[in-house]
Amino acid sequence: MFPFGEAKLFDESTIPKLGRAFAKQGRPVALVPLGADVHAGHIALIRAAKRLHRGVVVVVAERNHEVFAREGVDAVMIAPKLSQRTMIAVEGLEPDLSAEVTRRIQLINLVGPSDVFFGEKDFEALVRTQQAITDLRLNVKVHSVPTVRMPSGLAMSLRNASVPETDRERALALSAALLAGVHAAEGGHQAVLDATRAVLDAAGVQADYVELRGATMGQVPEEGDARLLIAATFGGVRLIDSAGVPIGVGFKNLD
């Protein structure tokens, strides 16, 4: 039996034992896949998982026991090298969607959680993962956590630290452009795109894409929830961001 509140270390061969131990205690597992390091956005995912009163399992590329112990994580698994022999075919705006969605599904199958937590910063991957889970009929509930932002408005991301210092001020235009697009929502689809691109142009940012999609990455509604997505490259570092947009409604008319 594994004591709760102590982040024990597991690998691919031992993680199934954890699920069985939690099952015996009537406590399902919540999975929180992270990246190479831990920042405030990742901590927000962990805290959201803790609120469910599940056994929280974090998957991370490197150990960080101090953070995980402080946040009350129950177990840590060092991210295994997952097979790419069988891939889930996913097409979208981002070039690595198939690999990312496949990795997420493999981790879910490996850990066997009742719940899994992803951040909205990688919104397209979030939606495609949910669609894959639905289509493959996996018995796990997806929870999304809003993007955590720096005081400047830039989305919290490990990539931010790699942006050259000479480009960091221009990178702030991404969040400013999103904000402009969101506030133009009442004017409809084209007004959102025009406002977004105007901010990027003023900052001298050549976007890799500026796209407005439906809330599930489908067709944009004439009125209702949509998602504004941006990607741009600064000094060889690709940044992505997105925001929800109430098309044709706008915030002035929201109760």
Side-chain angles (χ1 to χ4, degrees), residues 7-29:
K8 288 189 170 292
L9 191 64
F10 293 82
D11 60 24
E12 185 175 358
S13 64
T14 58
I15 197 67
K17 298 177 183 178
L18 179 69
R20 291 194 292 269
F22 278 121
K24 288 179 181 178
Q25 298 175 55
R27 196 180 186 197
V29 169

Side-chain angles (χ1 to χ4, degrees), residues 177 180-181 184 188-201 210 228:
H189 182 167
Q190 194 58 50
V192 170
L193 293 177
D194 290 345
T196 303
R197 289 171 178 147
V199 172
L200 295 175
D201 290 344
V210 175
L228 177 61

Side-chain angles (χ1 to χ4, degrees), residues 118-156:
F118 299 113
E120 291 184 2
K121 188 190 77 66
D122 298 306
F123 186 79
E124 187 179 24
L126 166 67
V127 171
R128 300 308 185 195
T129 302
Q130 175 64 83
Q131 292 170 342
I133 286 171
T134 300
D135 294 346
L136 295 171
R137 292 171 170 77
L138 301 182
N139 188 25
V140 60
K141 183 177 181 180
V142 174
H143 300 262
S144 63
V145 176
T147 302
V148 175
R149 297 186 178 277
M150 300 170 67
S152 62
L154 197 63
M156 190 69 70

Side-chain angles (χ1 to χ4, degrees), residues 42-253:
H42 295 149
I43 291 174
L45 292 174
I46 293 170
R47 291 178 178 176
K50 290 291 293 182
R51 286 195 288 270
L52 285 186
H53 302 292
R54 303 284 197 262
V56 176
V57 177
V58 165
V59 178
V60 67
E62 299 175 1
R63 303 183 187 188
N64 196 326
H65 287 293
E66 182 180 349
V67 172
F68 298 140
R70 184 174 69 243
E71 295 299 327
V73 169
D74 296 290
V76 177
M77 183 174 73
I78 302 302
K81 185 177 180 180
L82 301 174
S83 172
Q84 296 186 353
R85 181 175 59 192
T86 302
M87 301 287 287
I88 298 173
V90 182
E91 294 183 1
L93 300 173
E94 286 300 299
D96 57 351
L97 274 179
S98 289
E100 177 59 19
V101 172
T102 299
R103 183 186 75 88
R104 292 179 174 193
I105 296 300
Q106 288 178 334
L107 286 175
I108 289 169
N109 284 329
L110 181 61
V111 177
S114 62
D115 301 83
V116 61
F117 288 77
F118 299 113
E120 291 184 2
K121 188 190 77 66
D122 298 306
F123 186 79
E124 187 179 24
L126 166 67
V127 171
R128 300 308 185 195
T129 302
Q130 175 64 83
Q131 292 170 342
I133 286 171
T134 300
D135 294 346
L136 295 171
R137 292 171 170 77
L138 301 182
N139 188 25
V140 60
K141 183 177 181 180
V142 174
H143 300 262
S144 63
V145 176
T147 302
V148 175
R149 297 186 178 277
M150 300 170 67
S152 62
L154 197 63
M156 190 69 70
S157 169
L158 296 175
R159 298 177 187 176
N160 293 341
S162 301
V163 174
E165 188 172 348
T166 53
D167 288 321
R168 289 180 183 175
E169 186 173 347
R170 289 198 311 125
L172 299 179
L174 293 190
S175 57
L178 285 175
L179 185 60
V182 168
H183 281 284
E186 192 172 1
H189 182 167
Q190 194 58 50
V192 170
L193 293 177
D194 290 345
T196 303
R197 289 171 178 147
V199 172
L200 295 175
D201 290 344
V205 174
Q206 179 65 47
D208 297 332
Y209 61 74
V210 175
E211 292 282 341
L212 190 60
R213 299 290 178 90
T216 57
M217 294 301 293
Q219 185 174 354
V220 181
E222 290 293 325
E223 184 175 294
D225 292 335
R227 197 79 182 184
L228 177 61
L229 303 104
I230 298 179
T233 301
F234 301 92
V237 181
R238 182 183 176 87
L239 300 183
I240 63 173
D241 205 346
S242 69
V245 183
I247 294 292
V249 178
F251 293 99
K252 296 177 183 178
N253 300 316

